[in-house]
Amino acid sequence: MKLIIGSKTVSTWSIRPWMVMKYFKLPFEEILIPLDQMYTGTEIAKYSKAGRVPILIDGDVKVWDSLAICEYLAETVGTEKNLWPADRQQRAWARSICAEMHSGFTAMREHLSAEFLKEGLPYPKNEAVLKDLARVKAIWTECIGHPARNAKSWGPFLFGDFSIADAFFAPVVSRFRTYSVEMDPTCAAYAEAIWTLPVFQEWLEGARKEV
């Protein structure tokens, strides 16, 4: 498989399927197209008429959009690897919060733009932004507070084990760090679990090589 992605310094959409493929050890060739260059659109057009990254190419199959790619990957590996939670109810829950992240949080996206390598930036604390940030933290708290977490085997991620849901919220962890968003201990622990994840650190190392 080939995964076409954008700059690792800013591409929140690209990191999501990239993290999934890296974490679950799905072999792929990475093709990186720098964003915001005069030639960016021309290069992306070689792979997709949609004009955006990421794009997955698997033989004759071409999938664009991060959520569609992750769904395709989950369908491809089936039960061999649990890209979504194994439990049906939790899987529906995970899909719902990913869809919410995919289509919402407009104020956060506008005012807390993605800057994977920066820290300590200011952001406007207006009603819309604070509402988005509160909703993210509520999602994390609700998932982490699930009764299933009483099991000793439950991991530090939203549904215990790492899943597509964590990949979708990984860029938000970076945003929270970039803009020093305040978190309670529960959310801070989750953010730290994502930040210290080897595949996330690998992405950051790639971003550092771009600057």
Side-chain angles (χ1 to χ4, degrees):
M1 292 187 284
K2 296 180 180 179
L3 184 66
I4 297 86
I5 63 173
S7 303
K8 291 181 179 177
T9 52
V10 296
S11 188
T12 59
W13 297 111
S14 295
I15 191 178
R16 291 172 167 124
W18 186 94
M19 279 187 72
V20 169
M21 297 182 81
K22 283 283 185 175
Y23 185 89
F24 289 100
K25 295 179 170 57
L26 306 179
F28 69 99
E29 175 189 350
E30 176 186 312
I31 300 173
L32 190 147
I33 299 175
L35 301 179
D36 299 324
Q37 304 296 320
M38 291 184 63
Y39 57 83
T40 298
T42 302
E43 288 300 308
I44 293 176
K46 294 178 181 179
Y47 301 99
S48 172
K49 294 180 181 179
R52 296 183 179 181
V53 289
I55 305 151
L56 179 74
I57 299 175
D58 183 15
D60 295 333
V61 177
K62 184 179 294 184
V63 191
W64 58 97
D65 181 277
S66 57
L67 186 54
I69 292 171
C70 288
E71 287 283 16
Y72 175 80
L73 294 171
E75 185 180 80
T76 300
V77 302
T79 56
E80 179 185 348
K81 301 175 186 286
N82 290 321
L83 274 59
W84 290 113
D87 178 81
R88 181 171 178 267
Q89 182 180 10
Q90 291 183 23
R91 189 164 59 250
W93 186 356
R95 281 192 165 107
S96 295
I97 63 173
C98 284
E100 184 177 351
M101 173 52 60
H102 193 260
S103 62
F105 300 96
T106 306
M108 182 182 69
R109 296 181 196 281
E110 179 182 354
H111 297 292
L112 285 76
S113 59
E115 296 283 356
F116 280 98
L117 299 181
K118 295 182 180 180
E119 293 185 22
L121 298 182
Y123 68 93
K125 295 179 174 61
N126 60 51
E127 182 178 356
V129 168
L130 294 177
K131 182 178 179 180
D132 277 0
L133 299 180
R135 176 56 187 155
V136 168
K137 288 182 275 189
I139 289 172
W140 291 356
T141 300
E142 186 178 12
C143 290
I144 292 167
H146 191 277
R149 285 194 172 274
N150 294 327
K152 292 182 180 179
S153 60
W154 195 267
F157 303 108
L158 294 177
F159 297 93
D161 297 326
F162 182 87
S163 72
I164 291 170
D166 298 292
F168 263 72
F169 280 89
V172 183
V173 168
S174 178
R175 278 185 164 99
F176 276 27
R177 192 180 186 97
T178 296
Y179 295 91
S180 302
V181 175
E182 293 184 3
M183 292 179 279
D184 64 22
T186 298
C187 291
Y190 172 68
E192 183 67 12
I194 292 295
W195 186 265
T196 57
L197 200 62
V199 294
F200 191 86
Q201 287 298 313
E202 184 179 344
W203 176 272
L204 293 178
E205 184 58 33
R208 293 185 188 101
K209 292 177 180 177
E210 294 177 13
V211 298

